Amino acid sequence: MIAIDDYGAGLSSLAYLKQLPASELKIDKLFVTQLTSSNRDPLIVRSTIDLAHALEMEVVAEGVETPSAMALLSVMGCDMIQGFLVSRPIGIDALLPFLAEERHLAIARDVRSPLTRIAAVRKTG
């Protein structure tokens, strides 16, 4: 599987969507962290989700930190999230119990979100 990471930041381009056989698009946290406080970011995120789905890609929102951002992403049709709302970065020894206890699924239930495939935890350095 090929994923386009940090889409919307740095050198990312619409050309990547055309040229790469990617199946997943990860929206950069630059757009997600200000999703509920900006006028433009929700428009950019929503149109990116729609475009990715039209290209038969799944969408991951990076940097999700609040239940309100998660709820808005859910309404927009985002497939998965990752960020501090789910968990701070943790090592493999803590990840396995975290997944076994299904704490990541409880977050989605608490927000009453239809997101059922929350991207678990990614160690970001």
Side-chain angles (χ1 to χ4, degrees), residues 10-90:
L11 299 175
S12 67
S13 161
L14 287 172
Y16 290 131
L17 297 179
K18 181 178 178 181
Q19 296 170 353
L20 296 174
S23 58
E24 182 176 278
L25 184 70
K26 296 176 81 175
I27 300 174
D28 189 75
K29 67 181 178 181
L30 171 74
F31 299 100
V32 176
T33 55
Q34 296 183 19
L35 194 58
T36 59
S37 63
S38 165
N39 293 329
R40 290 183 171 217
D41 289 354
L43 298 171
I44 293 168
V45 170
R46 177 62 186 255
S47 62
T48 301
I49 291 169
D50 291 344
L51 176 60
H53 285 164
L55 295 171
E56 299 180 359
M57 301 169 97
E58 289 190 324
V59 180
V60 179
E62 299 177 337
V64 179
E65 297 181 359
T66 64
S68 58
M70 181 175 154
L72 185 54
L73 287 161
S74 175
V75 169
M76 291 179 174
C78 187
D79 300 298
M80 294 174 272
I81 65 165
Q82 70 180 53
F84 291 163
L85 179 64
V86 178
S87 175
R88 298 280 180 181
I90 56 177

